[in-house]
Amino acid sequence: LKNFLSPKELAQAIGVSESSLKRWADDGRIHVSRTAGGHRRIALSEAIRFVRETRTPLVQPQILGLTEIAPDGHAGPGGDETTKLRTFLEAGQEREARGLLFSLYLNGWSIAEIVDGPLHDAMAHIGKLWLDGDLGIAVEHRATDTCMAGLRQIQRVLPVEEDAPVAVGGAPETDPGALSSLAAGVVLAGEGFRVIHLGGSTPWRVLEEAALEYRATLVWVSVAHPQQLGSLEGPVTHLLDMLADSGIHVAIGGRDLAINLMPTHRNVFYGHTLAELAAFGRGLLRSLGHTPANTAQHTDE
Ligand code: B12
């Protein structure tokens, strides 16, 4: 991937003339910076924002370095997005699976919509394959890895603001769910946080210490495997108490999290989906006077 594009490169990638593109830049529809020599250049994250918001088809995605995306959307299996993703993941078609996730993002889906929808649904299905034996487990592990790579590709094109508030998070010590926690982190990055992801199986005291060390504004905890946790109450209460004094917010969530059994505290937010986490993160940034970097787009507007 390239970090910057010339107006000519972006014009070719989206199939318009260079002069139209320069006009849009001068109108402020596309934000450009200038090189030392005075030439216009466009950050990749800004090019992607423009493509998403205007639903402009990328006729030559390879010019942006996006070699995994078929120019005409994505040729492949039929069916809805979940079926397509599941088919690619089950067949070990890693490039196609990553390309599909990225295409959804380019087509204007928010990161939360991609993960709460096709990604979660495809993985839930793949999670049943272990019934078929060890090969099913291999498919599940490989699919997890592919989804993580796909999410990191999306994260890679998000604008990064050096002074944005920090979010630190992971899945807790008895929970291996690194895919869940990465997904939550990429959603927060999409809302404009600077994100530090500690991965699966992160001890509670590590979350606490990392939050203080990295001066986090928000700590997120993804609970993907609730039955493994026993009682969450003790460690969660401790975490909330420790972080409240430093004014650090905590978001804890998972599909099957029994929110009604969780300790209440002024600095905690509980949720089941990443759409809820995105909305919470956006609200928190606003309350801190930060304009979210990349306002989420919705498919059915
Ligand atoms: C991948 C996977 C694993 C991987 C995890 C690898 C990794 N690096 O992530 C591995 C192979 C390690 C694994 C292990 C186990 N797993 Co497992 N696993 C899954 C699987 C197939 C997909 C999970 C996933 O990542 N999905 C994609 C993510 C994005 O979705 P998600 O986790 O649901 O997250 C959503 C929400 O939780 C929410 N969210 C996430 N984070 C946050 C944060 C906040 C703040 C908010 C608000 C929301 C939020 O948004 C997400 C999108 O909607 C699920 C199947 C399923 N039905 O979910 C089983 C599943 C979670 N596993 C299960 C089980 C039982 C196990 C094992 C115990 C199996 C075993 N007998 O060994 C072990 C656990 C061992 C241990 N050490 O604890 C059960 C859990 C049942 C339960 N209710 O507790 C499930 C549901 C499968 C099933 N139907 O039985 N697993």
Side-chain angles (χ1 to χ4, degrees):
L1 290 184
K2 298 186 161 196
N3 286 326
F4 289 96
L5 305 160
S6 66
K8 186 176 177 187
E9 286 172 316
L10 182 55
Q12 281 174 349
I14 62 180
V16 301
S17 69
E18 193 182 343
S19 58
S20 312
L21 203 109
K22 283 186 172 158
R23 197 172 57 245
W24 296 340
D26 295 341
D27 290 352
R29 291 179 60 192
I30 298 182
H31 179 78
V32 298
S33 52
R34 299 266 178 178
T35 63
H39 295 288
R40 296 180 188 83
R41 58 176 204 166
I42 301 156
L44 179 64
S45 57
E46 173 61 7
I48 303 268
R49 180 202 61 78
F50 180 81
V51 165
R52 293 184 76 224
E53 287 182 6
T54 57
R55 304 287 194 279
T56 308
L58 270 180
V59 290
Q60 294 201 63
Q62 72 281 7
I63 295 178
L64 274 60
L66 302 169
T67 50
E68 294 177 346
I69 294 164
D72 51 347
H74 31 77
D80 59 11
E81 310 305 340
T82 299
T83 310
K84 285 182 196 162
L85 181 61
R86 182 167 69 75
T87 308
F88 287 143
L89 290 172
E90 283 182 23
Q93 290 177 274
E94 298 174 13
R95 284 173 60 88
E96 289 77 2
R98 291 195 305 261
L100 173 58
L101 292 172
F102 204 95
S103 301
L104 295 177
Y105 183 67
L106 284 180
N107 289 341
W109 291 49
S110 71
I111 302 165
E113 285 169 331
I114 296 170
V115 183
D116 283 338
L119 197 155
H120 169 272
D121 295 350
M123 286 305 296
H125 191 276
I126 286 170
K128 292 179 191 138
L129 297 178
W130 63 270
L131 293 167
D132 303 344
D134 290 347
L135 198 55
I137 298 180
V139 171
E140 178 193 328
H141 283 216
R142 189 176 181 190
T144 302
D145 188 62
T146 302
C147 289
M148 290 181 75
L151 289 171
R152 287 192 194 284
Q153 253 168 3
I154 295 175
Q155 184 176 16
R156 167 80 175 71
V157 300
L158 298 173
V160 183
E161 253 185 90
E162 289 310 324
D163 63 343
V166 172
V168 173
E173 54 198 27
T174 43
D175 191 326
L179 170 55
S180 283
S181 60
L182 174 69
V186 178
V187 163
L188 291 171
E191 296 302 331
F193 284 92
R194 261 190 309 139
V195 159
I196 299 175
H197 177 223
L198 305 180
S201 311
T202 303
W204 291 96
R205 59 160 208 293
V206 172
L207 281 168
E208 239 165 68
E209 281 183 26
L212 297 172
E213 173 67 24
Y214 302 133
R215 300 178 188 283
T217 296
L218 173 65
V219 169
W220 85 88
V221 182
S222 291
V223 182
H225 291 83
Q227 104 290 4
Q228 294 291 301
L229 289 161
S231 170
L232 278 169
E233 212 179 324
V236 170
T237 304
H238 191 264
L239 181 78
L240 298 179
D241 283 345
M242 293 298 290
L243 298 183
D245 289 342
S246 313
I248 301 174
H249 297 261
V250 182
I252 304 179
R255 289 266 166 155
D256 300 329
L257 184 68
I259 293 176
N260 54 328
L261 301 179
M262 300 298 289
T264 51
H265 208 292
R266 66 192 147 92
N267 60 334
V268 71
F269 168 82
Y270 294 111
H272 291 299
T273 65
L274 293 184
E276 293 165 63
L277 178 63
F280 171 74
R282 206 175 308 142
L284 183 58
L285 287 179
R286 280 219 188 94
S287 73
L288 297 168
H290 258 266
T291 4
N294 204 10
T295 10
Q297 290 289 299
H298 289 274
T299 38
D300 32 33
E301 46 190 13

